[in-house]
Amino acid sequence: MARRPRAADDPGGLRHLIELVRSTVPPMHHAGLPFVAGGLGLAALGRKQRWLRGAGLLAAGASAGFFRHPRRVPPTRPGVVVAPADGMVCLVDTAAPPPELDLPDTPLPRVSIFMSVFDAHVQRAPVGGEVLDVVHRAGRFGSADRIEASDDNERNSVRIRTADGAEVIAVQIAGLVARRILCDARPGDHLAIGDTYGLIRFGSRLDTYLPVGTQPLVGVGQRMVAGETVLAHLS
């Protein structure tokens, strides 16, 4: 009778299976480690109580899913601006940039993306270039899908200048549930388009301000894929 092959007899197949899992299950952002650890700790404490163990494992799994950090492949053609966040476009208009950046109050094209708790919440550089400013401003924690959230809510603004001199501003905005904005970018850093630079915990919004004369290529209600969906072409 023929012996059933084992994984050890087929290392190539095992490697393929491992790569398949890696490509299917996204990695997790490091900011989620304390939450996953807390859920697993709760499950360990409740190993003799089924409901407590289940609650801990559920919390750990939900945290791993929320803090997922999927791999993305940005477009390679020059002059594009990509979505800095997953989610749905909730506003396309013109507005003055955040006043804390001390820029002229000339209205700029703006695209706002609302992230629900089901979206990946890492933020990615909309363009490649040098980080000129990173400015945090305290504020309210109202619903992030409101127009007023751009002005009223807590926010963190990152201004990036491309090699061609165009400036794009990405603004992380806290929401009703989101109470923690994380930003790893610092003035003087150089980001490639699509690089991960921050994260907002548990539902939020991302505003992108484009140079004067830039025409957004997306509309309200359209789903965005961070680092891949093209928002606009720079002149």
Side-chain angles (χ1 to χ4, degrees):
M1 181 176 178
R3 179 173 61 91
R4 178 179 297 179
R6 296 176 300 172
D9 299 329
D10 186 18
L14 180 60
R15 286 196 299 269
H16 175 72
L17 178 60
I18 293 173
E19 289 302 319
L20 180 62
V21 172
R22 286 178 176 174
S23 63
T24 304
V25 180
M28 185 179 67
H29 192 275
H30 61 82
L33 291 176
F35 295 88
V36 173
L40 293 177
L42 182 64
L45 290 174
R47 60 184 180 275
K48 294 182 179 181
Q49 294 179 293
R50 180 177 298 179
W51 70 269
L52 189 57
R53 183 174 68 250
L57 293 175
L58 180 61
S63 296
F66 176 84
F67 287 100
R68 64 191 183 277
H69 187 187
R71 296 179 179 87
R72 298 289 163 79
V73 181
T76 57
R77 59 187 184 277
V80 298
V81 182
V82 297
D86 285 4
M88 183 175 292
V89 176
C90 62
L91 184 67
V92 178
D93 66 353
T94 58
E100 59 268 21
L101 290 174
D102 293 326
L103 298 174
D105 59 0
T106 304
L108 303 175
R110 177 176 64 176
V111 176
S112 299
I113 300 171
F114 176 73
M115 293 167 277
S116 75
V117 294
F118 301 106
D119 292 308
H121 273 61
V122 293
Q123 278 82 61
R124 301 174 188 269
V127 292
E130 181 184 1
V131 177
L132 301 180
D133 296 302
V134 179
V135 184
H136 179 270
R137 197 210 70 166
R140 300 177 181 176
F141 295 99
S143 179
D145 59 350
R146 299 180 307 115
I147 295 177
E148 296 82 3
S150 294
D151 297 322
D152 298 342
N153 286 17
E154 179 176 346
R155 62 179 180 246
N156 186 74
S157 302
V158 178
R159 182 163 65 109
I160 304 172
R161 178 182 292 162
T162 70
D164 295 327
E167 294 186 5
V168 174
I169 303 167
V171 184
Q172 299 165 287
I173 300 174
L176 188 64
V177 180
R179 299 297 178 104
R180 185 76 168 105
I181 296 175
L182 305 178
C183 181
D184 298 323
R186 298 291 182 269
D189 288 351
H190 288 266
L191 299 174
I193 185 171
D195 277 356
T196 299
Y197 74 89
L199 179 144
I200 313 175
R201 291 179 185 167
F202 309 117
S204 43
R205 173 171 166 175
L206 211 298
D207 286 358
T208 305
Y209 293 82
L210 305 167
V212 172
T214 305
Q215 182 64 43
L217 301 177
V218 298
V220 173
Q222 186 173 343
R223 294 289 305 180
M224 297 290 100
V225 178
E228 295 186 353
T229 303
V230 176
L231 292 186
H233 291 278
L234 298 175
S235 302

